C-alpha cells in the first residue's frame, strides 16, 4: 500500500487510478486529434485557433477533474469497487459531468459543425465504454483475489479466528491470515511461505522476541492488531483497543503546525461553503417558518474539544416544544416530534448547515467526531471504551459517523 495525504491507498486502487487516468488523458487527446483531423479533411473551420499544447493542458485538466470527482465519490475504495450499483451511480455522475465539459468545449467553444457532433458523441461513448470495461475487469480481479497478501497472525488463537472470519467475509480485503506460534518463527520459513507481514495479536513471548526482531531488521512488516486493522482494514476494534495502542499509534498528531493548517482550512472552506449554501439556507429558513410555529434556528448545548460545552446551531426540525418536560431524549427513526419539513432536512442533512457558523467561531471543525449533548456524554463515557478521548479533537460538521451512520438513537448506536 502507498501512503498519500495521511491515508493508505491500496496498491490495487493506485493501479486502477493510474490506468483510468492514462486512459482518460489518452481518450481526450485522441478526441481532440480526431476532431481536428476530421474538420481539416472536410475543409471546415473551427472558429478558434487551438494549439496542441493547449489541448494537452485541457486533457490534463479534465483528467484531473474526473479523478477528483471519482475520489470524492469513493470510487477508489475496494468495497465500493465491488458494489456495481454504487460504481454505476457515482461513476456515471462523474463521467457525465466531465464528458459534458468535453462536449461543450468542441460543440460550443470551438464551434464544431452539426454533422460532426455524431462523431464527437461516438468518441465520448467509446471513452466511457473503455472505462466501464476497466472497472469490470478490476472488479473481477478483486473478487478472485489473485494478489492476496499472506499475513502471519502471531499469538492469540481467538484473534486469528476473528481475523479469518472478517477477511473471508470481505472480498475487498486482500489479506490471507496464517497462524503460527512464536517458537516456529524464522525468516527463511516466512520467506518460503510468501508472508507479507506479521500481526501481533498479543504481546510476544520472550522466546519469540529474538525471531521477531530478526524479521523486523530484515525488512518484514510487523504491526499490532490495532494498527493493522486501522491502517489496512480501515476500522478500529473498540473491544480490543488498549491505551498502549493509542500511545504507540502513528496517526495521532497534535502539533502546532498541523492544528494551524487544519484551522486555516476550516476557515477558508467554511466561508466558501457558507457562501455556496446561503441560497439553500434562506429557502430552508422560509420553509421551516411556514411549516410550523417556532424559531427557525434551534440551539442546543453540546460538548466540544477538551470537554468544553458550546452552543450548536441547527435548523429546527422538531416541534417547538419537543422536550417540554425538560428531560433530554434520543431522536428516534419515526419520531412524532419531527415536522414535515424537518423530516426532509434531517434526511438530507440540510439542518446541519448552520453549524458552519460554529466552524467559523472555532467551536467545531469541518471534519471530526459527532458532538453529543452533556447528558448523553456521561452515559457514553461509562459504556464505550475511550469515548472520553474523542474530546481531544474538535467535533466536526461531517465525519465517519455522519457519513456512514444515521442519527444515533441509543447508546448502542
Amino acid at each position: 500500500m502507498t501512503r498519500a495525504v495521511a491515508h493508505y491507498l491500496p496498491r490495487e486502487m493506485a493501479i486502477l487510478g493510474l490506468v483510468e487516468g492514462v486512459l482518460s488523458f489518452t481518450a481526450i487527446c485522441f478526441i481532440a486529434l480526431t476532431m481536428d483531423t476530421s474538420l481539416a479533411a472536410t475543409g471546415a473551420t473551427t472558429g478558434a485557433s487551438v494549439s496542441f499544447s493547449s489541448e494537452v493542458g485541457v486533457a490534463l485538466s479534465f483528467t484531473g477533474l474526473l479523478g477528483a470527482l471519482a475520489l470524492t465519490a469513493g470510487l477508489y475504495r475496494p468495497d465500493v469497487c465491488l458494489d456495481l450499483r454504487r460504481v454505476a451511480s457515482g461513476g456515471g455522475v462523474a463521467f457525465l459531468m466531465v464528458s459534458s465539459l468535453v462536449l461543450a468545449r468542441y460543440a460550443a467553444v470551438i464551434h464544431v459543425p452539426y454533422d460532426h457532433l455524431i462523431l464527437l458523441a461516438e468518441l465520448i461513448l467509446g471513452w466511457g465504454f473503455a472505462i466501464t470495461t476497466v472497472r469490470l475487469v478490476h472488479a473481477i480481479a478483486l473478487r478472485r483475489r489473485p494478489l492476496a497478501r499472506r499475513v502471519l497472525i502471531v499469538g492469540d488463537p481467538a484473534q486469528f479466528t476473528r481475523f479469518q472470519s472478517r477477511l473471508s467475509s470481505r472480498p475487498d480485503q486482500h489479506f490471507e491470515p496464517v497462524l503460527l506460534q512464536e517458537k516456529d518463527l524464522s525468516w527463511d520459513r516466512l520467506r518460503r511461505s510468501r508472508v507479507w507481514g506479521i500481526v501481533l495479536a498479543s504481546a510476544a513471548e520472550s522466546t519469540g522476541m529474538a525471531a521477531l526482531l530478526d524479521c523486523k531488521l530484515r525488512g518484514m512488516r510487523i504491526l499490532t492488531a490495532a494498527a493493522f486493522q486501522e491502517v489496512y482494514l480501515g476500522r478500529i476494534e473498540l473491544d480490543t483497543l488498549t491505551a498502549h495502542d493509542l500511545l504507540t499509534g502513528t496517526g495521532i498528531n497534535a502539533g502546532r503546525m498541523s492544528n494551524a493548517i487544519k484551522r486555516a482550512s476550516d476557515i477558508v472552506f467554511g466561508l466558501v461553503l457558507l457562501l455556496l449554501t446561503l441560497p439553500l439556507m434562506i429557502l430552508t429558513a422560509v420553509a421551516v417558518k411556514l411549516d410550523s410555529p417556532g424559531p427557525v434556528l434551534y440551539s442546543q448545548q453540546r460538548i466540544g474539544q477538551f470537554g468544553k460545552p458550546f452552543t450548536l446551531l441547527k435548523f429546527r426540525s422538531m416541534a417547538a416544544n419537543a422536550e417540554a418536560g425538560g428531560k433530554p431524549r434520543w431522536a428516534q427513526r419515526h419520531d412524532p416530534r419531527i415536522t414535515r419539513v424537518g423530516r426532509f432536512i434531517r434526511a438530507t442533512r440540510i439542518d446541519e448547515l448552520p453549524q458552519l457558523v460554529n466552524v467559523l467561531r472555532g467551536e467545531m471543525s469541518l471534519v471530526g467526531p459527532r458532538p453529543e449533548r452533556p447528558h448523553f456524554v456521561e452515559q457514553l463515557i461509562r459504556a464505550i471504551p475511550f469515548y472520553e478521548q474523542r474530546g481531544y479533537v474538535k467535533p466536526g460538521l461531517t465525519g465517519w459517523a455522519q457519513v456512514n451512520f444515521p442519527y444515533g438513537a441509543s447508546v448502542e448506536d
Side-chain angles (χ1 to χ4, degrees), residues 128-141:
F129 178 77
I131 289 183
T132 302
T133 302
V134 168
R135 280 279 170 174
L136 289 174
V137 171
H138 184 262
I140 293 173

Side-chain angles (χ1 to χ4, degrees), residues 1-79:
M1 295 195 178
T2 304
R3 181 162 183 142
V5 197
H7 292 279
Y8 286 86
L9 182 65
R11 179 177 56 195
E12 295 79 8
M13 298 297 103
I15 294 173
L16 175 63
L18 179 62
V19 170
E20 289 187 339
V22 171
L23 177 60
S24 295
F25 175 76
T26 304
I28 297 173
C29 288
F30 180 75
I31 289 172
L33 181 62
T34 302
M35 294 306 300
D36 289 343
T37 303
S38 177
L39 291 171
T42 58
T45 59
T46 62
S49 176
V50 180
S51 64
F52 177 75
S53 60
S54 67
E55 289 300 323
V56 170
V58 170
L60 285 173
S61 300
F62 285 156
T63 301
L65 177 60
L66 182 60
L69 291 172
L71 190 64
T72 303
L75 296 178
Y76 293 113
R77 286 170 42 189
D79 56 324

